[in-house]
Amino acid sequence: MIKYPLFQILLFLCLSSFSQTFKSDSVKSFVDNSINLIRSNAVDTTNINLIESILYSKAKNLDTVSDLAPLYTEVFRLLRDHHGSLKYKDRTYGWDKAERPENTYLKGRLKTEKAVVSQIIDRRTAYLRIPGNHDFAFKKVDSIANDITAHINKVSTAKIKAWIIDLRTNTGGNMYPIFLGLQEFIGDNMVFGGFRNAQGLSSGQWEIRDGNMRIDGIKLLRQVQLKKPLKKDIPLIILTSCYTASAGEMTAISLIGRKNTYIVGEPTADYTTAVQGFTISKEAGINLSTDYVVDRNSKIYTGNILPDVEVLQGDNFENLKRDKKILKALELLNK
């Protein structure tokens, strides 16, 4: 009688269960490829065995990949990844976390908030509102960064003693030009953030050395320069909302840990991961959260950003002096 160690028996059973006959070779190939990509790249693979079991079990009797694709909504739920998604033909399959907070006023403003806004609020406080962008192809890095800098120049005077940077309508996009536009606020001669992979190893670094910014090894140069240097560690309030997401959250994190800096507003949307795209087939690709973001103090963000002072609702872009988040910011700055 031949005796097998327990782990060999379990391994055999697992392999047998995943080697079942599939009705469609294309479906099996799709599942195999996606599982391999998830196992090798996802930042959270806690449930990978369960995901594998579910996909193989439910996919074996399917006729087409079109029938298979909707199963990936559950896959992303088990990955705890609402930032990623499966792209198949012209459709997207992802997981939308339930019970997200809402801000009716700001939700209505998201459609119209497309441009940077700047003004002086109380003679000594400058205000800068930076919306999200759609520069995913990196074609507008210069124009976005230059526009932000131009607005800073517009309101920066010798009388300004503090700043408010408003990210409430920054739903994401390309973080590079926003960092570049805010370079002098971030600081100099430092690593101000980056990414960590599933093993906790650095997978990207944000730094400024001798006035030169490098993001993940890419040197960024800005064409428009500040006309008036910012006072070092000038007091700064960052405003956030439940719609501050992705690049908006990265922007907030790039400033967290800076002296005289506070976050006022609502918890952010929880898109604090780096997402990478991978090809599964000619018609499909999968976007996976592959890394967590870290701030200048090496704090890892696995969820949303919580404000230092929470202020819910009460937004008023038509009259900033009646905006509850701005009023709280001014209160903190005047202490």
Side-chain angles (χ1 to χ4, degrees):
M1 179 178 179
I2 299 175
K3 296 183 179 179
Y4 293 96
L6 179 59
F7 79 90
Q8 287 185 314
I9 295 174
L10 292 175
L11 178 61
F12 174 78
L13 291 175
C14 289
L15 290 175
S16 296
S17 65
F18 294 147
S19 300
Q20 304 170 57
T21 301
F22 270 66
K23 190 174 182 180
S24 166
D25 290 341
S26 61
V27 169
K28 184 180 187 304
S29 176
F30 195 100
V31 172
D32 289 341
N33 290 339
S34 67
I35 287 294
N36 289 335
L37 288 169
I38 292 169
R39 189 183 295 279
S40 299
N41 298 286
V43 71
D44 185 349
T45 56
T46 305
N47 291 321
I48 186 62
N49 291 333
L50 177 58
I51 291 170
E52 192 171 15
S53 175
I54 290 173
L55 279 181
Y56 277 91
S57 175
K58 292 186 176 181
K60 64 181 181 180
N61 293 319
L62 298 180
D63 294 307
T64 66
V65 174
S66 294
D67 298 323
L68 170 69
L71 296 180
Y72 283 79
T73 296
E74 176 68 5
V75 169
F76 281 97
R77 186 187 71 80
L78 290 170
L79 286 172
R80 303 183 185 92
D81 183 1
H82 59 278
H83 206 174
S85 60
L86 175 74
K87 307 286 185 178
Y88 179 65
K89 293 186 176 179
D90 295 324
R91 300 197 64 179
T92 299
Y93 301 89
W95 170 53
D96 187 15
K97 289 175 69 175
E99 299 182 1
R100 287 183 180 276
E102 271 202 5
N103 181 317
T104 303
Y105 175 87
L106 289 178
K107 186 176 183 180
R109 297 292 305 223
L110 294 179
K111 296 179 181 179
T112 58
E113 289 288 315
K114 304 299 181 183
V116 176
V117 174
S118 60
Q119 69 180 75
I120 296 174
I121 296 181
D122 63 352
R123 297 184 182 179
R124 63 184 298 277
T125 304
Y127 171 83
L128 186 68
R129 186 161 74 242
I130 304 173
N133 60 70
H134 296 283
D135 186 39
F136 299 106
F138 284 76
K139 293 183 178 180
K140 298 181 179 180
V141 172
D142 289 340
S143 61
I144 294 172
N146 293 339
D147 185 40
I148 292 171
T149 308
H151 274 275
I152 295 172
N153 284 332
K154 177 183 174 183
V155 294
S156 182
T157 69
K159 294 182 180 179
I160 297 301
K161 305 300 181 184
W163 285 77
I164 297 173
I165 295 179
D166 192 341
L167 302 175
R168 284 179 285 179
T169 58
N170 195 313
T171 55
N174 188 347
M175 68 184 185
Y176 285 53
I178 307 176
F179 286 179
L180 192 57
L182 297 176
Q183 178 171 326
E184 287 78 6
F185 285 100
I186 293 170
D188 197 6
N189 294 315
M190 68 173 69
V191 174
F192 62 93
F195 292 102
R196 296 287 185 274
N197 61 22
Q199 291 73 44
L201 302 176
S202 176
S203 53
Q205 188 165 278
W206 313 337
E207 62 180 325
I208 304 176
R209 301 292 180 191
D210 299 321
N212 296 311
M213 179 177 286
R214 289 184 181 273
I215 306 297
D216 301 335
I218 300 174
K219 186 175 181 179
L220 301 180
L221 297 174
R222 197 178 65 209
Q223 298 166 337
V224 175
Q225 303 303 320
L226 293 186
K227 295 179 180 179
K228 176 181 174 54
L230 288 175
K231 180 181 177 182
K232 184 179 180 181
D233 300 328
I234 190 168
L236 172 64
I237 301 291
I238 305 162
L239 301 184
T240 60
S241 78
C242 58
Y243 301 110
T244 305
S246 195
E249 290 172 297
M250 305 302 178
T251 302
I253 289 170
S254 76
L255 296 162
I256 291 175
R258 177 188 179 277
K259 291 183 179 179
N260 303 319
T261 302
Y262 302 92
I263 296 180
V264 172
E266 302 167 358
T268 61
D270 188 9
Y271 286 83
T272 54
T273 54
V275 175
Q276 293 187 48
F278 304 91
T279 299
I280 297 178
S281 68
K282 291 181 179 180
E283 297 178 313
I286 190 167
N287 295 324
L288 296 170
S289 289
T290 57
D291 310 86
Y292 291 123
V293 68
V294 299
D295 64 22
R296 65 184 67 195
N297 294 318
S298 298
K299 176 182 175 181
I300 299 175
Y301 292 79
T302 59
N304 58 2
I305 302 166
L306 301 178
D308 297 303
V309 180
E310 186 175 75
V311 180
L312 304 177
Q313 309 294 328
D315 311 271
N316 190 334
F317 288 174
E318 291 78 16
N319 188 341
L320 296 182
K321 292 183 178 180
R322 292 185 178 181
D323 188 299
K324 290 186 178 180
K325 294 181 176 71
I326 290 179
L327 290 174
K328 177 55 70 172
L330 293 174
E331 180 185 323
L332 291 174
L333 292 171
N334 289 327
K335 283 187 177 180

PDB file of all heavy atoms in Angstrom, residues 25 87 103 133 145 177 243 294:
ATOM      1  N   ASP A  25     -13.124  25.915 -24.784  1.00  0.00           N
ATOM      2  CA  ASP A  25     -11.687  26.117 -24.598  1.00  0.00           C
ATOM      3  C   ASP A  25     -11.349  27.593 -24.409  1.00  0.00           C
ATOM      4  O   ASP A  25     -10.436  27.942 -23.652  1.00  0.00           O
ATOM      5  CB  ASP A  25     -10.911  25.575 -25.803  1.00  0.00           C
ATOM      6  CG  ASP A  25     -10.926  24.062 -25.877  1.00  0.00           C
ATOM      7  OD1 ASP A  25     -11.201  23.426 -24.837  1.00  0.00           O
ATOM      8  OD2 ASP A  25     -10.688  23.514 -26.975  1.00  0.00           O
ATOM      9  N   LYS A  87     -12.280  44.725 -18.609  1.00  0.00           N
ATOM     10  CA  LYS A  87     -12.775  45.353 -19.832  1.00  0.00           C
ATOM     11  C   LYS A  87     -12.922  44.269 -20.891  1.00  0.00           C
ATOM     12  O   LYS A  87     -11.930  43.646 -21.285  1.00  0.00           O
ATOM     13  CB  LYS A  87     -11.792  46.413 -20.333  1.00  0.00           C
ATOM     14  CG  LYS A  87     -11.384  47.457 -19.307  1.00  0.00           C
ATOM     15  CD  LYS A  87     -12.482  48.454 -19.031  1.00  0.00           C
ATOM     16  CE  LYS A  87     -11.990  49.538 -18.104  1.00  0.00           C
ATOM     17  NZ  LYS A  87     -13.018  50.574 -17.845  1.00  0.00           N
ATOM     18  N   ASN A 103     -23.014  63.569  -1.345  1.00  0.00           N
ATOM     19  CA  ASN A 103     -23.112  64.987  -1.072  1.00  0.00           C
ATOM     20  C   ASN A 103     -23.845  65.576  -2.268  1.00  0.00           C
ATOM     21  O   ASN A 103     -23.270  65.745  -3.335  1.00  0.00           O
ATOM     22  CB  ASN A 103     -21.705  65.588  -0.922  1.00  0.00           C
ATOM     23  CG  ASN A 103     -21.722  67.066  -0.603  1.00  0.00           C
ATOM     24  OD1 ASN A 103     -22.490  67.830  -1.185  1.00  0.00           O
ATOM     25  ND2 ASN A 103     -20.861  67.485   0.322  1.00  0.00           N
ATOM     26  N   ASN A 133      -9.084  65.643 -13.868  1.00  0.00           N
ATOM     27  CA  ASN A 133      -8.800  65.807 -15.293  1.00  0.00           C
ATOM     28  C   ASN A 133      -8.913  64.433 -15.972  1.00  0.00           C
ATOM     29  O   ASN A 133      -9.059  63.415 -15.310  1.00  0.00           O
ATOM     30  CB  ASN A 133      -7.407  66.402 -15.517  1.00  0.00           C
ATOM     31  CG  ASN A 133      -6.297  65.521 -14.945  1.00  0.00           C
ATOM     32  OD1 ASN A 133      -6.006  64.435 -15.451  1.00  0.00           O
ATOM     33  ND2 ASN A 133      -5.659  65.984 -13.866  1.00  0.00           N
ATOM     34  N   ALA A 145      -0.373  71.648 -15.570  1.00  0.00           N
ATOM     35  CA  ALA A 145       0.570  72.159 -14.563  1.00  0.00           C
ATOM     36  C   ALA A 145       0.753  73.661 -14.704  1.00  0.00           C
ATOM     37  O   ALA A 145       0.755  74.399 -13.702  1.00  0.00           O
ATOM     38  CB  ALA A 145       1.911  71.450 -14.702  1.00  0.00           C
ATOM     39  N   PRO A 177       0.604  66.180 -13.488  1.00  0.00           N
ATOM     40  CA  PRO A 177       0.573  67.636 -13.657  1.00  0.00           C
ATOM     41  C   PRO A 177       0.109  68.378 -12.401  1.00  0.00           C
ATOM     42  O   PRO A 177       0.503  69.529 -12.196  1.00  0.00           O
ATOM     43  CB  PRO A 177      -0.411  67.842 -14.810  1.00  0.00           C
ATOM     44  CG  PRO A 177      -1.255  66.619 -14.818  1.00  0.00           C
ATOM     45  CD  PRO A 177      -0.348  65.505 -14.395  1.00  0.00           C
ATOM     46  N   TYR A 243     -16.049  62.783  -2.883  1.00  0.00           N
ATOM     47  CA  TYR A 243     -15.758  62.618  -4.299  1.00  0.00           C
ATOM     48  C   TYR A 243     -14.283  62.847  -4.611  1.00  0.00           C
ATOM     49  O   TYR A 243     -13.873  62.711  -5.770  1.00  0.00           O
ATOM     50  CB  TYR A 243     -16.625  63.569  -5.129  1.00  0.00           C
ATOM     51  CG  TYR A 243     -18.103  63.329  -4.915  1.00  0.00           C
ATOM     52  CD1 TYR A 243     -18.892  64.248  -4.234  1.00  0.00           C
ATOM     53  CD2 TYR A 243     -18.699  62.152  -5.347  1.00  0.00           C
ATOM     54  CE1 TYR A 243     -20.231  64.015  -3.997  1.00  0.00           C
ATOM     55  CE2 TYR A 243     -20.052  61.911  -5.128  1.00  0.00           C
ATOM     56  CZ  TYR A 243     -20.814  62.842  -4.450  1.00  0.00           C
ATOM     57  OH  TYR A 243     -22.141  62.597  -4.213  1.00  0.00           O
ATOM     58  N   VAL A 294       1.893  55.543  -0.362  1.00  0.00           N
ATOM     59  CA  VAL A 294       2.464  55.923   0.937  1.00  0.00           C
ATOM     60  C   VAL A 294       2.766  57.407   0.919  1.00  0.00           C
ATOM     61  O   VAL A 294       3.002  58.001  -0.138  1.00  0.00           O
ATOM     62  CB  VAL A 294       3.752  55.128   1.253  1.00  0.00           C
ATOM     63  CG1 VAL A 294       3.474  53.640   1.328  1.00  0.00           C
ATOM     64  CG2 VAL A 294       4.842  55.419   0.227  1.00  0.00           C
TER      65      VAL A 294
END
